[in-house]
């Protein structure tokens, strides 16, 4: 009898362990895909930063050689958006963001929160942003990208980020006025 129980427990443990390993594997895969995504957008970012250094008037219309027309259109739209922002802001480089935002968020949300892969954050209040960050972190709002990113950030960092992002619109407005 005892033997049977031990055997049953062993089977349950074995099944649980393999399910657990499988989910770990899936999770690891997910993170790998996310970091690849971040890497690829980071490259896109430097390309666009290059465009920004050209004077607006002589900036060539960015022509990408990408095979897929959809991708090309996407790149074009993005470059146009950034160009428009640049004209409006005078100089995008004047936007100094914290190292944390630059490193962890700008690749998807843009240098000043204008939105790339991730939604536009410009114009959102600190409360809206902070609530979203806490909801992503707790899993109340389901998004693997944001969940994975915020997992090891503490409340202070979330607060700092929300405070900072909420100033982007004001910074943009001020830059426009000072032209
Ligand atoms: C890999 C791309 C990526 C990165 C990096 C990223 N985000 Fe996001 N973010 C997203 C996506 C995609 C969504 C939309 C998720 C949804 O609505 O479910 C999002 C949503 C958000 C939202 C909610 C916006 C809304 O309209 O409700 C906030 C706030 C946010 N991100 C802040 C941040 C901050 C702060 C960082 C840096 C710590 C960051 N994000 C990094 C992709 C990213």
């Amino acid at each position: 009898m005892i033997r049977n129980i031990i055997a049953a427990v062993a089977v349950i443990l074995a099944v649980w362990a393999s399910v657990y390993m499988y989910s770990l594997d899936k999770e690891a895969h997910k993170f790998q895909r996310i970091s690849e995504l971040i890497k690829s957008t980071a490259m896109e970012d430097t390309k666009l930063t290059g465009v920004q250094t050209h004077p607006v008037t002589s900036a060539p219309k960015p022509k990408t050689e990408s095979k897929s027309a959809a991708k090309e259109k996407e790149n074009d739209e993005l470059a146009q958006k950034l160009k428009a922002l640049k004209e409006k802001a005078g100089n995008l480089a004047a936007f100094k963001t914290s190292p944390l935002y630059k490193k962890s968020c700008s690749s998807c949300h843009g240098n000043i929160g204008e939105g790339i892969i991730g939604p536009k954050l410009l114009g959102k209040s600190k409360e809206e942003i902070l609530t979203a960050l806490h909801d992503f972190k707790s899993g109340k709002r389901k998004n693997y990208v944001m969940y994975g990113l915020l997992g090891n950030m503490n409340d202070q960092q979330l607060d700092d980020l929300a405070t900072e992002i909420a100033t982007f619109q004001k910074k943009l407005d001020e830059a426009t006025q000072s032209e």
Side-chain angles (χ1 to χ4, degrees):
M1 182 59 186
I2 279 281
R3 268 200 193 169
N4 287 349
I5 292 173
I6 292 173
V9 168
V11 168
I12 290 167
L13 276 178
V15 169
W16 174 81
S18 44
V19 168
Y20 184 66
M21 294 303 283
Y22 175 72
S23 65
L24 273 188
D25 221 47
K26 256 176 65 181
E27 208 62 24
H29 197 68
K30 236 176 255 153
F31 278 106
Q32 197 189 334
R33 287 192 44 199
I34 289 168
S35 60
E36 275 164 13
L37 188 68
I38 293 174
K39 244 186 252 153
S40 67
T41 57
M43 273 158 55
E44 211 109 277
D45 222 23
T46 48
K47 257 198 327 215
L48 287 160
T49 313
V51 171
Q52 286 164 23
T53 62
H54 294 293
V56 184
T57 44
S58 67
K61 193 169 185 294
K63 264 271 174 262
T64 43
E65 305 282 318
S66 80
K67 285 153 250 162
S68 121
K71 177 97 182 147
E72 191 169 322
K73 188 167 162 264
E74 206 177 89
N75 282 345
D76 253 29
E77 269 172 19
L78 186 59
Q80 249 171 343
K81 215 171 164 186
L82 274 171
K83 200 181 142 206
L85 267 172
K86 191 200 155 175
E87 280 167 28
K88 201 174 162 206
N91 188 0
L92 259 188
F95 282 90
K96 290 264 175 288
T97 53
S98 68
L100 182 61
Y101 179 83
K102 214 180 181 66
K103 172 172 148 270
S104 308
C105 322
S106 66
S107 53
C108 292
H109 291 286
N111 286 339
I112 58 166
E114 74 273 29
I116 303 177
I117 292 172
K120 186 175 130 187
L121 301 176
L122 265 174
K124 288 195 183 302
S125 72
K126 181 188 166 183
E127 287 69 33
E128 277 177 284
I129 295 163
L130 195 58
T131 306
L133 295 183
H134 280 296
D135 287 352
F136 283 129
K137 191 181 170 185
S138 71
K140 187 173 155 200
R141 190 166 159 188
K142 297 227 173 335
N143 183 273
Y144 276 111
V145 175
M146 294 301 302
Y147 177 78
L149 269 163
L150 302 177
N152 47 17
M153 286 189 195
N154 59 38
D155 285 356
Q156 185 60 53
Q157 285 172 308
L158 298 190
D159 199 88
D160 290 348
L161 279 169
T163 307
E164 180 187 3
I165 294 165
T167 66
F168 287 171
Q169 183 68 59
K170 192 162 160 272
K171 279 166 99 175
L172 183 62
D173 292 345
E174 280 170 4
T176 319
Q177 278 164 15
S178 67
E179 284 241 329

